[in-house]
Amino acid sequence: VNLKEENIFLVDGAADAAKQEKRFNDFLKDNKIDIQILGIGNNGHIGFNEPGEAFETETHCVDLTERTIEANKRFFASIDDVPKQAYTMGILPIVQAKKVIMIANGKNKADIIKKAFTGPVTPEVPASILQMHPDFTLIADEDALSEI
């Protein structure tokens, strides 16, 4: 993986949101992702694309659900420090990546892994879209796969 500084593109969360979203979306139109590495949220979100009525296609700012905030509190000194919003790449560039790898572990992921990969493709379980990806790999421990 070529991780030179010029090959890394970040969204500046302190800058104007609309400009950052446009900047990143413009970048993704001209630059396809070779490898997309993801986790999966307990509610099926990928890349903070939370469950909803439609798949969000482009980079956008999302309000994180209470469940997502709770799950991420372990990374912060207190729950009050956990961000309530996040920028996320939309579903479209994720599924357009040449290769997608998802890593999941723990019994707490078993139910959502089952829903995402044996249930219908639906924006109510955003990770389910990966059923349609031509080069998707799930790396998971026995606990995460225990419902399948």
Side-chain angles (χ1 to χ4, degrees):
V1 176
N2 190 357
L3 291 179
K4 294 180 185 171
E5 186 173 334
E6 64 267 17
N7 294 333
I8 298 172
F9 190 95
L10 301 173
V11 175
D12 181 355
D16 178 81
K19 287 181 183 177
Q20 288 299 300
E21 290 170 16
K22 181 181 181 333
R23 183 174 151 263
F24 199 62
N25 287 326
D26 289 346
F27 174 81
L28 288 171
K29 286 177 188 168
D30 297 328
N31 299 276
K32 297 301 178 207
I33 299 164
D34 290 321
I35 300 172
Q36 178 75 48
I37 301 173
L38 300 168
I40 183 170
N42 291 334
N43 62 1
H45 78 254
I46 51 174
F48 291 122
N49 287 283
E50 297 283 4
E53 295 179 12
F55 289 112
E56 294 283 345
T57 59
E58 294 189 322
T59 302
H60 56 286
C61 186
V62 297
D63 293 324
L64 301 178
T65 65
E66 287 303 317
R67 190 171 181 185
T68 299
I69 292 167
E70 181 69 25
N72 283 285
K73 75 179 182 181
R74 68 186 187 275
F75 300 116
F76 297 88
S78 102
I79 195 156
D80 294 331
D81 296 331
V82 180
K84 307 302 184 257
Q85 293 182 312
Y87 284 108
T88 184
M89 181 183 306
I91 293 292
L92 185 61
I94 291 172
V95 298
Q96 288 178 335
K98 292 176 188 172
K99 170 107 183 122
V100 177
I101 299 169
M102 177 180 284
I103 301 169
N105 68 304
K107 186 73 173 158
N108 65 323
K109 299 294 173 113
D111 183 57
I112 199 60
I113 293 290
K114 180 179 180 181
K115 286 179 184 171
F117 300 110
T118 65
V121 174
T122 172
E124 293 173 5
V125 181
S128 67
I129 194 74
L130 297 172
Q131 292 180 40
M132 301 173 70
H133 197 280
D135 193 357
F136 171 73
T137 301
L138 173 61
I139 301 170
D141 65 9
E142 288 183 24
D143 286 340
L145 297 173
S146 64
E147 299 281 326
I148 295 180

